[in-house]
Structures are given as C-alpha cells and as structure tokens.
Amino acid sequence: MNLETVWRVEDGRRLASTVWRAGPGHRMISSAMLGGGIGPARWVLNAQVPGAYARTDPVAHLAELAAANGLEGPGVGMLTAASVARTVRRDGEGVSVSATVGLRVPTWAAAPAGTPDPELAPLEGDRTPARRPGTINIVVAVPVGMSDAALVNAVVTATEAKTQALLEAGFPCTGTASDAICVAAATGGTPEVFAGPRSTWGARIARTVHAAVRAGALDYAARLEARG
C-alpha cells in the first residue's frame, strides 16, 4: 500500500489526507460514505476535517477532494476529525494496514436506548483533552482474492482485532460511533472463502490491524497525558 500524505487549507486550517492510488485489480468492501459496499475500486482517500465540521454534503465534499487529488473512477472516501498526519502504518505477512486513531469519545457498541450521544457534543470552545475530536478509520490491503462472504468476514475480523487493541491500550470501548473501514483484496486467481481470525489470511489481517490500532491508541493516550 503506497500511501501518500497530501495537505490542503480549509476553513483557515491546514489539514492532511492520505491517498492510496491502488489502481486497477482490486475489489474493496467498505463502510465509507463514498464508495461504500462491495465492488471494484481504484483508490482510497482518508481526509481530515475540522472538529466542528458542519457540511451537510459529506459525499459531495469527498468527491471534490478526490477530484482535487486527481482520483478518477470508482474509489472509497472517508472523513475523520482525528489527526490524519499521525496515521499508523503496519505491514506483516503480506497484509498492509493504515489506521487513523482518534478517541475523543470512546464508545461501547451496545448503549442503553435513549442515551444521549456524546459524539454530538459541541467542540467549539472546548479545549479539554477528553474532548479532542476522534474517529478510527482503518484501511486493509491483502494480495489475494476474496469472495463476497470472505470480504464481510474480513471486516468482522478487523473490527474484533481493533476492539482487542483498544482494550489492551486502556480504552474501555469497542471503538467510536463514527469508525469506518475498507478492506481491499486483489482480483484474479481462486478467491479465499474464509477470513475469520483462524483462517490463514484472517489471522494475518487480525494481527496487523491489532498492531496498527494498538500503536495508534497508545500514541493517542500519550498525547492526552502530555496535555494534562
């Protein structure tokens, strides 16, 4: 995964994005707003936005950013208020992972009905460390083909590994309420039909995602501590 970091100025802030120009020969599954679902894709964009992001057309915004970076054809676009410049990369056993880790509001997936959503708390004027913006966006690339079922399985495996890493890093949560993921598999050859954590490629995905997210979460915790 040849990941580029690009910069832009928006609303008076200098913001980073990561761009992976994967090119042809990839099928991706993603929960992203732009290019979500399963299908061929040629690029992945992970763009940082201000903490008080107020645009109501994020898909159009991502399309604008993709065009500004020369990204054409089908692709996947994600947004995050976390620091994209601190994206963590890990590679292992043929798997490549990039993870942007921000944990402003660590969240349990199963919350009681009617509980106010802390993700919607205003950020303007709030400078306490616990209120810094955050989302966990993960991109996984594997050099083998995967069936649709295996791609879904890979998302589950990566999410389980993410949660394990967060708990080990001291964050009592399953993630944040706005996390996104993309898993990219090569095309051609006989596709893998399993990607659970004990399958060959699922285990490799799990270990590599775990390493990236754990490193990112520990980095985030260190920054919170340094801010006091």
Side-chain angles (χ1 to χ4, degrees):
M1 190 193 302
N2 184 15
L3 207 64
E4 306 170 36
T5 300
V6 297
W7 296 86
R8 73 186 191 282
V9 175
E10 187 173 306
D11 295 334
R13 288 192 56 191
R14 189 166 180 261
L15 301 170
S17 300
T18 55
V19 177
W20 177 32
R21 304 177 194 272
H26 294 85
R27 265 190 355 124
M28 302 188 190
I29 181 171
S30 181
S31 62
M33 289 180 289
L34 178 65
I38 299 178
R42 301 172 61 94
W43 50 265
V44 181
L45 169 69
N46 185 32
Q48 183 178 350
V49 294
Y53 186 71
R55 285 190 60 158
T56 58
D57 59 345
V59 174
H61 188 196
L62 280 164
E64 293 167 9
L65 295 176
N69 285 285
L71 301 174
E72 300 178 344
V76 171
M78 307 176 181
L79 295 177
T80 179
S83 174
V84 171
R86 302 183 77 94
T87 296
V88 177
R89 287 287 314 276
R90 290 292 184 271
D91 298 284
E93 304 172 284
V95 178
S96 294
V97 172
S98 69
T100 305
V101 181
L103 288 155
R104 180 177 74 88
V105 186
T107 303
W108 293 112
T115 302
D117 185 359
E119 285 280 354
L120 302 180
L123 289 169
E124 283 300 310
D126 195 340
R127 294 293 179 263
T128 58
R131 307 301 292 173
R132 300 293 182 182
T135 289
I136 302 171
N137 285 349
I138 298 172
V139 181
V140 180
V142 295
V144 296
M146 288 192 170
S147 67
D148 286 359
L151 285 172
V152 174
N153 208 175
V155 169
V156 174
T157 296
T159 303
E160 290 173 348
K162 173 193 75 173
T163 299
Q164 179 183 342
L166 294 174
L167 293 171
E168 291 178 2
F171 289 91
C173 66
T174 52
T176 83
S178 53
D179 293 354
I181 189 169
C182 174
V183 177
T187 56
T190 302
E192 299 289 318
V193 295
F194 301 111
R198 293 299 170 265
S199 67
T200 299
W201 285 99
R204 294 172 180 178
I205 289 170
R207 285 189 288 267
T208 314
V209 169
H210 175 269
V213 174
R214 191 173 189 276
L218 289 172
D219 175 68
Y220 191 87
R223 285 184 284 146
L224 289 183
E225 185 176 356
R227 289 170 184 153

